[in-house]
Amino acid sequence: MKKTIFLTAILFFVSSFTFTLASANSNASLKDYLDKKNLENATTQIYLLNRCSAIYAYASGIILKTDAVSSKNFIEISNSLLFKSVELMIIDEEKKLEEAQKKAEENRKELFNNYITDGKKNWEKNKSHFKGSYISEDMAICSKLTEDK
């Protein structure tokens, strides 16, 4: 009897822990991430560039059918940010071009997929891919990064 209660308790704990993980966001808020990091650090800057590249690629995909021109502009911004990330990896981390490109593209793809996952969750919750989530806050931060000076 004690064994059954113990096993039931363990199963309950594991299933509730798994549910908590499944409902959590894939990415931490960019604001929270940056609050904990030194923005002067090249690694932080590379992550920021990759993250912003991913969110612009995500936004491009979301609006592609309704606004092809803006979608194209977002992809151009995304690629520009990714290129800056590659440049920084070459300069600061002394990576070869091909290696830096591959790493940046892999990072963007992972972050992009996280935005897709979290955007879908947000859509189910409030019928918006961005509003009411960390994604809209991330977009606001990234838009400041890309403003014309």
Side-chain angles (χ1 to χ4, degrees), residues 49-79:
L49 290 165
N50 288 335
R51 181 85 176 249
C52 290
S53 175
I55 199 163
Y56 272 99
Y58 174 69
S60 172
I62 295 297
I63 65 168
L64 180 60
K65 290 181 181 178
T66 58
D67 188 351
V69 173
S70 292
S71 177
K72 182 178 182 270
N73 289 339
F74 282 176
I75 279 296
E76 289 173 359
I77 292 169
S78 175
N79 290 337

Side-chain angles (χ1 to χ4, degrees), residues 42-106:
T43 305
T44 303
Q45 293 173 11
I46 291 167
Y47 179 81
L48 175 63
L49 290 165
N50 288 335
R51 181 85 176 249
C52 290
S53 175
I55 199 163
Y56 272 99
Y58 174 69
S60 172
I62 295 297
I63 65 168
L64 180 60
K65 290 181 181 178
T66 58
D67 188 351
V69 173
S70 292
S71 177
K72 182 178 182 270
N73 289 339
F74 282 176
I75 279 296
E76 289 173 359
I77 292 169
S78 175
N79 290 337
S80 173
L81 292 167
L82 195 67
F83 180 73
K84 289 176 184 176
S85 167
V86 169
E87 283 182 321
L88 195 52
M89 280 190 256
I90 291 169
I91 294 166
D92 191 72
E93 298 177 358
E94 299 179 357
K95 291 193 183 296
K96 293 183 178 177
L97 175 63
E98 296 80 16
E99 181 185 2
Q101 285 175 323
K102 183 178 179 185
K103 184 176 180 183
E105 288 170 5
E106 287 171 354

Side-chain angles (χ1 to χ4, degrees), residues 1 20 23 33-34 41-42 59 65-66 72 78 85 105-106 116 118 133 136 138 142-143:
M1 182 69 175
T20 302
S23 64
Y33 176 83
L34 294 174
N41 185 316
K65 290 181 181 178
T66 58
K72 182 178 182 270
S78 175
S85 167
E105 288 170 5
E106 287 171 354
I116 289 173
D118 294 342
S133 75
S136 65
D138 286 6
C142 293
S143 67

Side-chain angles (χ1 to χ4, degrees), residues 11-40:
L11 286 173
F12 176 75
F13 175 73
V14 169
S15 64
S16 65
F17 180 72
T18 303
F19 176 75
T20 302
L21 287 178
S23 64
N25 289 328
S26 301
N27 288 328
S29 140
L30 191 51
K31 181 188 179 317
D32 291 345
Y33 176 83
L34 294 174
D35 285 346
K36 298 174 188 169
K37 300 291 182 179
N38 177 1
L39 202 48
E40 300 298 318

